[in-house]
Amino acid sequence: MELGANWIHGILGNPIYELASAHGLVDIIQENKPHSVVGTLPDGRRVPFHILQEIYDAYFWFFRRCEEYFLCKYLPPDGVESVGAHLRLEISIYLEQFTEPERHIRNLIFNYLLNRETCISGCNTMDEIDLMEIGSYTELPGGNIVLPGGYSSILGPLTKNIPDSQLLKGHAVSCIRWRAGLESCSTTDSGLGEDLAAKLPTTTDNNHLPDCRSGTTSLSTSPSRKMRPKVEVVCKNGKRFLADHVICTVPLGVLKETGRTMFDPPLPDYKMDSIDRLCFGVVNKIYLEYERPFLNPGLSEVLCLWDPIDPKEPVSERWFKKIYSFTKVSETLLLAWISGDEAKYMETLPFDAVSEKCTEILRMFLNDPFIPKPKRCINTTWWSQPFTRGSYTAIGIGASQVDITNISHPLYMQPTCSKPAVLFAGEHCHPSFYSTVHGAYLSGREAAQVLCVPDTPPEVVLDVEGTADLSSWLEGIKLN
């Protein structure tokens, strides 16, 4: 059961796919398995497949038009700011051509697609997603690829050269002091303050002092050589670590909750404002495992065509209506997705209660009272987890790619430092691949490259005999 990220999104240009294929973690030749779905109403009636196909095609173009606003110069209709509002406008115009019974069935299919879209985008409803920014996400070609050994298998090649002793678990960070000792670091070569020296590791060689401006380590025999102040990472277990630089990859949900207290000094206002504007949605999975198969072997997904949710209804009485389908992972394992407020509420329920409700739903939509209860039910709890507080990033109304750029901006101890003290990475730090693993990977690699680039290019000194200044030297140049 894959409880984390489900797919590698795209093949061409995807570093995660390249990494996985290079280490034999995915099948390079992908087998296109037929995807057979059945759309069912709450009374058990099945919707003809040609109607499903018709609505799928219409919705595809409706959503594509939403994405075009990001690239085009024309503006949406007045008062339409969210993706949800624009889609409902398109849907209402489209449904005018049908009779009431035909319109009702098609509207249920559209509602299913909107519920599914909240899980793809990572939000509560599509009314939260900014219409002008939905096209900022770049989809890599190649489809969605599953890692047969689970997504955790990708950690093998990524960590093979890192000693286990360097991967510290159980060290929850409470504070990042990114100007620790700065008051002792003079902007002139006046020497190393005693207070700062006391805060640096005692193993530092007196003849091998870090440069305050460059952040690199350089040889020096002069006692006046400056010592670069350290970033101090304070952990909840009492451990403290000093570092030249810190790359902070905690999820956006954690930054939303602790961003104002985790950093000392606090994060700049522009960065916290961007953290607040972006959405960090909750998307959860529900796995149902059975003793034996009970669905038709040729069937791969059951679509649940609910009526639109009434937000005034208590969430305890409507949470399950956000479950839009049950997909067959294997003949004895089903997977359902749920998002938003309903997903948060589900996390408060025991597995048995979720299992009972899912069984009721399957029996109702398939009109079969003998569908067995699962032998096991497991659901994810990404909202309740203190180190995630959600699933992945979406650009909400009023937010933009600029907010992602603002969050990814590094922090410098002082303007004269050529290397940042704190850098940020994660899926919420990539402006076009947010919400993906490859976006997180690329942002982390970019942050590391900032630290790997030499501080200044090698200085080239031209020493020409008989020249006292540049002008006289230029006058003496002869062209061959």
Side-chain angles (χ1 to χ4, degrees):
M1 298 180 186
E2 179 60 86
L3 301 181
N6 215 69
W7 298 284
I8 297 175
H9 293 286
I11 292 176
L12 297 179
N14 192 324
I16 298 298
Y17 179 79
E18 293 169 2
L19 187 68
S21 59
H23 291 85
L25 302 178
V26 294
D27 298 324
I28 297 178
I29 300 177
Q30 293 290 320
E31 180 182 355
N32 291 324
K33 298 180 180 179
H35 187 61
S36 176
V37 303
V38 56
T40 59
L41 303 175
D43 59 6
R45 286 182 297 155
R46 297 191 176 186
V47 176
F49 183 77
H50 75 273
I51 298 180
L52 286 176
Q53 188 67 56
E54 169 202 320
I55 303 304
Y56 264 80
D57 291 343
Y59 179 84
F60 172 84
W61 291 110
F62 296 165
F63 198 85
R64 181 60 59 87
R65 279 198 280 272
C66 290
E67 294 175 322
E68 288 176 354
Y69 285 112
F70 180 77
L71 300 174
C72 301
K73 295 182 178 180
Y74 59 86
L75 297 175
D78 291 339
V80 178
E81 297 180 345
S82 70
V83 174
H86 197 281
L87 288 173
R88 286 196 304 275
L89 177 61
E90 296 251 31
I91 290 170
S92 63
I93 296 173
Y94 178 81
L95 293 178
E96 288 178 356
Q97 60 185 302
F98 299 101
T99 63
E100 178 56 35
E102 295 175 321
R103 189 181 304 146
H104 177 70
I105 290 178
R106 285 164 173 80
N107 194 46
L108 296 182
I109 302 172
F110 278 125
N111 182 63
Y112 147 76
L113 290 168
L114 286 170
N115 283 338
R116 186 184 71 163
E117 201 65 53
T118 62
C119 287
I120 296 173
S121 295
C123 59
N124 183 39
T125 75
M126 295 308 294
D127 292 336
E128 296 177 348
I129 305 302
D130 194 282
L131 176 61
M132 301 299 292
E133 292 289 328
I134 187 66
S136 64
Y137 174 81
T138 301
E139 187 170 344
L140 296 177
N144 295 327
I145 308 299
V146 176
L147 284 154
Y151 232 121
S152 58
S153 64
I154 207 75
L155 294 176
L158 283 176
T159 60
K160 64 180 180 180
N161 295 322
I162 304 176
D164 290 339
S165 60
Q166 298 299 307
L167 293 171
L168 303 182
K169 301 177 182 178
H171 286 66
V173 175
S174 60
C175 184
I176 298 173
R177 300 184 65 232
W178 56 281
R179 281 183 177 168
L182 184 60
E183 63 280 358
S184 302
C185 183
S186 171
T187 56
T188 62
D189 287 336
S190 59
L192 181 66
E194 291 182 0
D195 292 341
L196 176 61
K199 296 179 182 178
L200 292 174
T202 56
T203 55
T204 302
D205 189 334
N206 290 334
N207 293 325
H208 199 229
L209 302 178
D211 189 317
C212 180
R213 290 162 295 186
S214 68
T216 60
T217 302
S218 57
L219 289 173
S220 174
T221 56
S222 170
S224 65
R225 187 69 172 176
K226 292 187 299 180
M227 180 76 79
R228 185 188 191 280
K230 299 283 185 175
V231 182
E232 184 180 33
V233 178
V234 182
C235 299
K236 292 181 180 178
N237 61 5
K239 297 290 183 66
R240 293 171 179 263
F241 299 89
L242 295 175
D244 291 321
H245 317 278
V246 169
I247 300 178
C248 178
T249 64
V250 299
L252 178 61
V254 179
L255 290 177
K256 282 178 172 288
E257 186 172 76
T258 65
R260 286 179 169 82
T261 58
M262 181 183 290
F263 297 88
D264 180 21
L267 293 177
D269 289 341
Y270 80 89
K271 193 179 286 284
M272 281 307 310
D273 290 343
S274 291
I275 289 172
D276 292 337
R277 273 193 293 267
L278 289 174
C279 291
F280 196 68
V282 181
V283 179
N284 278 319
K285 301 178 184 180
I286 303 172
Y287 281 103
L288 305 171
E289 186 183 14
Y290 295 88
E291 291 282 359
R292 62 186 186 277
F294 66 91
L295 286 176
N296 187 308
L299 185 64
S300 55
E301 186 175 12
V302 177
L303 311 184
C304 301
L305 305 181
W306 300 98
D307 284 316
I309 288 177
D310 182 2
K312 297 179 182 178
E313 189 179 6
V315 67
S316 60
E317 299 177 13
R318 62 173 165 84
W319 69 268
F320 50 88
K321 295 180 182 178
K322 206 63 170 294
I323 300 174
Y324 58 84
S325 78
F326 293 88
T327 303
K328 190 186 291 183
V329 180
S330 70
E331 291 302 320
T332 55
L333 185 65
L334 298 183
L335 169 62
W337 297 78
I338 187 171
S339 67
D341 295 338
E342 293 77 11
K344 293 179 182 179
Y345 178 79
M346 181 208 63
E347 293 186 16
T348 67
L349 302 175
F351 289 157
D352 288 344
V354 176
S355 174
E356 287 282 349
K357 183 55 68 175
C358 288
T359 302
E360 288 180 24
I361 295 171
L362 284 167
R363 288 176 176 176
M364 178 172 65
F365 277 89
L366 293 177
N367 196 21
D368 184 353
F370 299 105
I371 286 178
K373 295 181 179 180
K375 71 174 182 179
R376 183 162 61 144
C377 172
I378 292 178
N379 59 260
T380 57
T381 55
W382 291 112
W383 170 250
S384 304
Q385 297 299 322
F387 304 130
T388 56
R389 300 300 289 164
S391 302
Y392 38 83
T393 301
I395 299 182
I397 291 181
S400 69
Q401 277 186 319
V402 174
D403 292 305
I404 294 178
T405 303
N406 287 344
I407 296 174
S408 62
H409 277 167
L411 301 174
Y412 289 82
M413 285 191 180
Q414 55 186 356
T416 56
C417 292
S418 61
K419 291 291 179 65
V422 181
L423 302 93
F424 295 86
E427 53 85 25
H428 56 286
C429 292
H430 199 288
S432 54
F433 294 146
Y434 50 87
S435 80
T436 67
V437 175
H438 60 273
Y441 176 85
L442 288 170
S443 71
R445 191 168 70 181
E446 182 179 352
Q449 286 172 342
V450 169
L451 300 179
C452 293
V453 172
D455 295 327
T456 55
E459 185 178 3
V460 177
V461 178
L462 296 176
D463 188 9
V464 182
E465 291 186 19
T467 59
D469 55 37
L470 181 60
S471 59
S472 60
W473 176 66
L474 288 175
E475 291 175 1
I477 293 179
K478 295 181 179 181
L479 298 177
N480 294 328

